[in-house]
C-alpha cells in the first residue's frame, strides 16, 4: 500500500505522435496505478489542458503541428499550468539536446529507447518533489505575521495574472515582458493591489496569493 501512495489518483498527460509508444507507455503506467490521458501533438495537448489539469506531463520533443519545446513554453507561461512537472522523451540524446530541453522548461529529459522502470522512477520522483513544494505555503505562514486582508477584496483579471507572476518570484520587468506591457503598467497594478489589500510590499502580496491558492 505504501508503495502506491504517490500514484493514487495521479493523472498524467502523455503526448507523442507514435501510437505504438503511446500504447506501450500508457499500458505500463496504468498497470502501475496511474491514470493516463493522451494527445498526439502539442496543439492537441493544449486543447486537453484547457479542460483538464494533469499532475504531470510526459512529452515527446519532435512532433508535427507543435513540438515539445513550443508546448512547454505555453505551459510555463500559463499560471494555471506553470507548476506542472514536465518529462521530455526524445530520440535526440546529445548533450546540447538535453541542455536545450531543460533550458526550455522541462524538469526531466529521458532518451529513447528507455527502460519503463526508469520512467516510472522519474515520474514518482517528480511527483514527490511537487508534493514537497506544495507543503511550503503552510510552513511559510509560520515565518511571518498573519496577513490581514479584507475578505471582500476583488482583483481584476489582469491584476490576478500579475499577482500570480509575483507569487512565482518574477520581477516587475520580467512580468512586463511576459504580458507585453510596460514596466510602469505592472508597477501600477502592483500598487493598486497593495492599496486594495492593505498589504505593505510585494513579498506579502506573494504570500497572500499563495495562501489564498491564487498562485
Amino acid at each position: 500500500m505504501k508503495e502506491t501512495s504517490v500514484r493514487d489518483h495521479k493523472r498524467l498527460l502523455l503526448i507523442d505522435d507514435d501510437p505504438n509508444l503511446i500504447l506501450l507507455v500508457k499500458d505500463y503506467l496504468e498497470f502501475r496505478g496511474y491514470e493516463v490521458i493522451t494527445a498526439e501533438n502539442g496543439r492537441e495537448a493544449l486543447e486537453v489542458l484547457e479542460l483538464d489539469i494533469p499532475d504531470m506531463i510526459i512529452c515527446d520533443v519532435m512532433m508535427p503541428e507543435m513540438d515539445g519545446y513550443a508546448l512547454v513554453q505555453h505551459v510555463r507561461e500559463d499560471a494555471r499550468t506553470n507548476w506542472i512537472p514536465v518529462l521530455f522523451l526524445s530520440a535526440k540524446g546529445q548533450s546540447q539536446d538535453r541542455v536545450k530541453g531543460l533550458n526550455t522548461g522541462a524538469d526531466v529529459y529521458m532518451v529513447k529507447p528507455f527502460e519503463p522502470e526508469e520512467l516510472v522512477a522519474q515520474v514518482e520522483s517528480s511527483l514527490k518533489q511537487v508534493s514537497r513544494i506544495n507543503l511550503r505555503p503552510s510552513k511559510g505562514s509560520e515565518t511571518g505575521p498573519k496577513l490581514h486582508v479584507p475578505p471582500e477584496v476583488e482583483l481584476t483579471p489582469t491584476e490576478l495574472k500579475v499577482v500570480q507572476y509575483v507569487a512565482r518570484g518574477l520581477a516587475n520587468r520580467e512580468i512586463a515582458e511576459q504580458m507585453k506591457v510596460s514596466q510602469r503598467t505592472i508597477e501600477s497594478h502592483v500598487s493598486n493591489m497593495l492599496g486594495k489589500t492593505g498589504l505593505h510590499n510585494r513579498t506579502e502580496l506573494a504570500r497572500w496569493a499563495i495562501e489564498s491558492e491564487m498562485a
Side-chain angles (χ1 to χ4, degrees):
M1 292 294 291
K2 193 173 182 181
E3 221 185 346
T4 60
S5 61
V6 178
R7 305 163 196 159
D8 289 347
H9 312 299
K10 294 298 184 184
R11 292 164 64 77
L12 312 178
L13 173 56
L14 174 62
I15 311 151
D16 201 296
D17 60 330
D18 181 348
N20 291 326
L21 186 137
I22 283 272
L23 192 62
L24 179 72
V25 175
K26 184 174 188 289
D27 281 353
Y28 196 85
L29 289 169
E30 287 181 339
F31 178 73
R32 298 301 293 265
Y34 293 104
E35 183 178 349
V36 182
I37 46 181
T38 64
E40 293 182 0
N41 56 60
R43 187 74 61 194
E44 189 177 312
L46 286 181
E47 293 174 6
V48 172
L49 290 170
E50 284 295 317
L51 304 171
D52 197 353
I53 303 295
D55 296 287
M56 184 168 181
I57 294 171
I58 301 171
C59 181
D60 187 18
V61 174
M62 306 309 294
M63 297 180 291
E65 294 194 47
M66 180 186 287
D67 65 16
Y69 298 129
L71 171 65
V72 170
Q73 285 183 310
H74 279 283
V75 167
R76 294 295 176 238
E77 288 171 3
D78 187 338
R80 293 170 56 250
T81 58
N82 59 38
W83 59 271
I84 300 175
V86 176
L87 186 153
F88 266 157
L89 295 175
S90 177
K92 301 173 75 174
Q94 297 291 321
S95 176
Q96 62 264 31
D97 298 318
R98 293 172 182 271
V99 169
K100 182 178 180 181
L102 295 171
N103 284 343
T104 302
D107 299 279
V108 182
Y109 192 103
M110 290 185 64
V111 179
K112 302 175 183 176
F114 52 87
E115 289 294 329
E117 285 293 339
E118 184 186 355
L119 175 63
V120 171
Q122 292 284 11
V123 167
E124 294 192 353
S125 175
S126 297
L127 292 172
K128 284 175 183 173
Q129 189 169 352
V130 170
S131 297
R132 286 196 295 271
I133 290 171
N134 287 342
L135 291 175
R136 288 191 304 180
S138 59
K139 289 184 179 180
S141 62
E142 298 167 8
T143 62
K146 184 172 174 58
L147 300 176
H148 297 283
V149 176
E152 68 275 7
V153 168
E154 287 189 17
L155 302 183
T156 67
T158 303
E159 287 172 343
L160 180 59
K161 193 156 192 174
V162 170
V163 80
Q164 287 169 337
Y165 280 125
V166 170
R168 287 170 55 193
L170 272 68
N172 288 345
R173 175 184 54 78
E174 295 171 310
I175 299 172
E177 290 172 0
Q178 291 282 354
M179 298 182 66
K180 296 179 173 55
V181 297
S182 71
Q183 184 172 330
R184 189 177 294 275
T185 298
I186 299 302
E187 290 167 354
S188 176
H189 284 307
V190 171
S191 177
N192 287 343
M193 286 188 285
L194 291 175
K196 284 181 178 181
T197 58
L199 297 173
H200 300 95
N201 50 51
R202 294 172 94 260
T203 302
E204 289 189 351
L205 203 57
R207 264 188 61 202
W208 173 62
I210 292 169
E211 291 174 7
S212 304
E213 297 185 347
M214 286 183 277

